[in-house]
Amino acid sequence: YKRQRFWGSAALATGVFLTYLVPESLLFIPMFQIVGKLGLMNNTWSLVLLYPTLTVPFCTWVMIGYFSVDQELQWTNRVWRETLGWTEDDMVGTDLLELLYPDADERREVSGFMARAEGAFRDFRPRTKDGGRLDTAWANVRAPDGGFIAIGQDISDRKRFEEEQRRLLAAIEQIPESVVITDTAGDIVYVNPAFETLTGYSREEVQGRNPRILNSGEQAESHFRQMWRNLAEGRTWHGEFINKRKDGTRFVEESVVTPLHFGEEGVVAYVAVKRDVTGEREAEDRIRQSQKMEALGTLAGGIAHDFNNILQGILGYATLVQEDLPPDSPEAAYMARVLEGVQRARELVRQVLTFSSRHEQPRQPLLLHPVVQEALKLLRGGLPSHIEIRDEIAPSRRPVMADPA
C-alpha cells in the first residue's frame, strides 16, 4: 500500500459489497478500521456506519456524505448534520453546493475538486445553518457506482491554533528586543530580525552556531558558568552580556534566559530575550562622572576658601612691608614680585571657586589676548622645563561677551 488515504472494496461471501477507508495512521496496524458499508438496496446506495471495537472510532468525529454521479447529495451521517447544522431535509434534494457555498467562484472550485476525486484533503469553508462559515478539511473518493463519498473534518480548532501561532511569530519577529532560541546543546536554532539588526549577523550565518560567537572576552568565565548552573536547575537567569557585533564594535545586552519545558520531555530548548542597553550604560557612566566632578568641585571650593584666607594674610603683610621699603631698593622690587604672585594666586582661587559654583557666571565684554596670555602662564607652571611654549597671538581690539573664568 502507498502511504496515503485510500478507499478499498471487497466482495463478501454474503454478496454484500463492502467499501472501507484505510487512513494513513492505520496503514501499519494489522486491524483495518472499517468506516462504512455500502450495500445495493432498491437500486440506491445507502451508507451504514460501523463502530469497530478494536480501533479508534474514526467515524464519530468525521463528516461523511454520499453524492450521486451528478453531485446530488443522497445521504449524510450524524456528525455532518451536527457540525454544519443543516438537517437532511435542508440538504437532500437541493443544490447543496449553492446552499453551502453562496459564491459562484467558490462553488466551481468545490465542484471541480469533487469531480477529480483525488482523495487528498483540502481546506474549505462551507456555510453553516446559522449563517457563519466553518473551517473544514475535505477529501472526496469515487464510489464503485461512479458517485462520490465526501469525508470532512472540523478543523476550526486547528485553524485557531495556527492563527495564534502566526500572531505569536509575528510578535516575536517585530518586537524591538532580540530573541534567540537554542537547543539544549546551546546551538542557535532561531533568531528574530531584531537580533540581526543589533549584531550584524544574518539568521543564516548564526543558525547551528553557538552564541559565544558574540563573546567580547570582557567577562569572566564564572559569569557564564553561573548562567548555565541556573539553566541546568530549570531556573530563569537574569543578567548582562558584554558582546561584540560582527564588525567588532562592543555593546551591552540585558538578558533573560529561560529553559523551555515541553511536557514529559523536560527542557527541550532555551529562549533568550535580550535588550540593547549600551546607551543606558553609557548615560549612567556619564552621570557617575558628573557626580564625581561635582564632588571634586565641592572639595576644591572648600580648599579654595581656606587658601583664599591664607592669601589675604600674605597680601596684607606684604603690602605693609612694601610701604616701609624705599621705592628704589632691591627689597621693594622683590616685594612687588611677591604681591604680583599673590594677585595671580587670588585669580586662580577665584577660578576654582567659579568652577565649584553651580551657578552660571554672567558674561561681560572681554579682550581675549590677556586671557590667553594668563592661561599660558598657568599652563607653563604644570609642564616640564624642557617643553617650550611659543605663542603668536595678535592683540585683539574687539572685545567678546564671555565669562572671564
Side-chain angles (χ1 to χ4, degrees):
Y1 298 115
K2 295 182 180 180
R3 289 193 177 188
Q4 59 184 6
R5 294 178 175 86
F6 64 94
W7 282 83
S9 59
L12 302 183
T14 58
V16 177
F17 196 83
L18 186 68
T19 300
Y20 53 86
L21 173 69
V22 183
E24 179 181 354
S25 60
L26 298 177
L27 282 179
F28 302 102
I29 298 178
M31 175 65 71
F32 287 166
Q33 175 181 354
I34 299 176
V35 172
K37 179 176 70 176
L38 290 172
L40 188 60
M41 301 176 181
N42 299 325
N43 297 322
T44 61
W45 289 96
S46 63
L47 187 63
V48 181
L49 299 181
L50 302 180
Y51 295 87
T53 58
L54 299 179
T55 61
V56 179
F58 180 78
C59 51
T60 62
W61 50 270
V62 171
M63 296 178 283
I64 301 176
Y66 171 69
F67 291 79
S68 64
V69 176
D70 55 2
Q71 298 185 358
E72 290 186 0
L73 181 66
Q74 303 296 311
W75 185 91
T76 61
N77 69 343
R78 176 181 56 81
V79 180
W80 178 309
R81 297 189 295 272
E82 291 179 353
T83 301
L84 297 181
W86 303 100
T87 65
E88 236 174 44
D89 291 338
D90 295 328
M91 295 181 290
V92 175
T94 64
D95 187 342
L96 183 63
L97 294 185
E98 185 173 355
L99 181 68
L100 299 183
Y101 303 98
D103 181 75
D105 292 337
E106 195 175 13
R107 283 198 302 275
R108 281 193 294 271
E109 184 179 359
V110 175
S111 178
F113 174 71
M114 293 178 64
R116 290 191 296 274
E118 297 172 346
F121 277 83
R122 183 173 170 185
D123 294 352
F124 290 101
R125 301 187 73 243
R127 184 176 64 165
T128 57
K129 189 167 185 178
D130 61 8
R133 289 297 189 104
L134 185 67
D135 288 306
T136 57
W138 293 91
N140 294 290
V141 292
R142 196 171 296 278
D145 69 338
F148 302 92
I149 298 174
I151 304 167
Q153 180 185 355
D154 179 0
I155 60 170
S156 54
D157 288 342
R158 190 195 81 191
K159 286 291 186 179
R160 281 192 293 270
F161 176 77
E162 291 175 352
E163 178 63 17
E164 290 175 0
Q165 296 300 305
R166 187 185 67 81
R167 291 182 180 180
L168 177 60
L169 179 60
I172 295 175
E173 290 277 303
Q174 296 176 33
I175 59 174
E177 288 77 16
S178 64
V179 176
V180 180
I181 301 177
T182 72
D183 58 21
T184 52
D187 296 327
I188 296 173
V189 296
Y190 169 83
V191 296
N192 69 341
F195 173 91
E196 298 176 296
T197 302
L198 176 62
T199 66
Y201 287 100
S202 67
R203 184 175 299 176
E204 293 73 19
E205 288 179 299
V206 298
Q207 280 183 334
R209 302 178 68 182
N210 194 283
R212 70 171 62 95
I213 62 174
L214 302 175
N215 190 358
S216 66
E218 297 185 26
Q219 289 174 291
E221 285 297 323
S222 58
H223 180 77
F224 300 97
R225 285 196 296 269
Q226 180 61 47
M227 178 191 72
W228 282 111
R229 276 197 296 269
N230 277 38
L231 297 178
E233 295 170 1
R235 295 185 288 121
T236 298
W237 180 84
H238 301 260
E240 289 188 357
F241 295 119
I242 303 175
N243 287 333
K244 64 178 180 180
R245 299 180 177 87
K246 186 177 180 180
D247 62 8
T249 56
R250 170 187 173 279
F251 67 100
V252 182
E253 286 184 312
E254 187 178 68
S255 305
V256 178
V257 186
T258 304
L260 182 61
H261 299 268
F262 193 77
E264 297 180 357
E265 297 182 38
V267 176
V268 297
Y270 299 107
V271 181
V273 180
K274 304 190 285 183
R275 186 171 65 92
D276 182 11
V277 295
T278 308
E280 295 178 20
R281 298 299 173 262
E282 290 176 349
E284 290 171 0
D285 290 341
R286 288 193 296 270
I287 292 173
R288 280 193 293 269
Q289 186 64 25
S290 175
Q291 290 172 339
K292 289 179 181 178
M293 294 299 293
E294 183 178 346
L296 179 60
T298 302
L299 176 63
I303 295 174
H305 276 293
D306 292 339
F307 190 55
N308 192 54
N309 292 335
I310 296 172
L311 288 177
Q312 290 296 336
I314 296 174
L315 178 63
Y317 286 115
T319 303
L320 292 174
V321 171
Q322 186 183 40
E323 291 177 355
D324 291 339
L325 293 174
D328 298 332
S329 66
E331 290 80 6
Y334 298 153
M335 194 53 63
R337 293 290 185 87
V338 172
L339 291 173
E340 182 181 340
V342 171
Q343 290 298 337
R344 283 205 298 267
R346 289 184 64 189
E347 180 61 23
L348 179 60
V349 169
R350 189 189 67 81
Q351 293 178 10
V352 172
L353 291 173
T354 301
F355 169 76
S356 64
S357 174
R358 299 185 182 181
H359 303 289
E360 185 176 355
Q361 300 301 309
R363 297 181 182 182
Q364 62 188 51
L366 183 69
L367 291 174
L368 291 178
H369 180 255
V371 176
V372 174
Q373 290 287 355
E374 185 66 24
L376 290 177
K377 290 180 183 178
L378 294 174
L379 181 62
R380 173 70 274 176
L383 294 176
S385 59
H386 66 276
I387 296 179
E388 179 183 357
I389 300 178
R390 296 178 182 177
D391 63 89
E392 296 180 3
I393 305 172
S396 174
R397 296 183 180 180
R398 295 185 179 181
V400 297
M401 296 297 294
D403 175 8

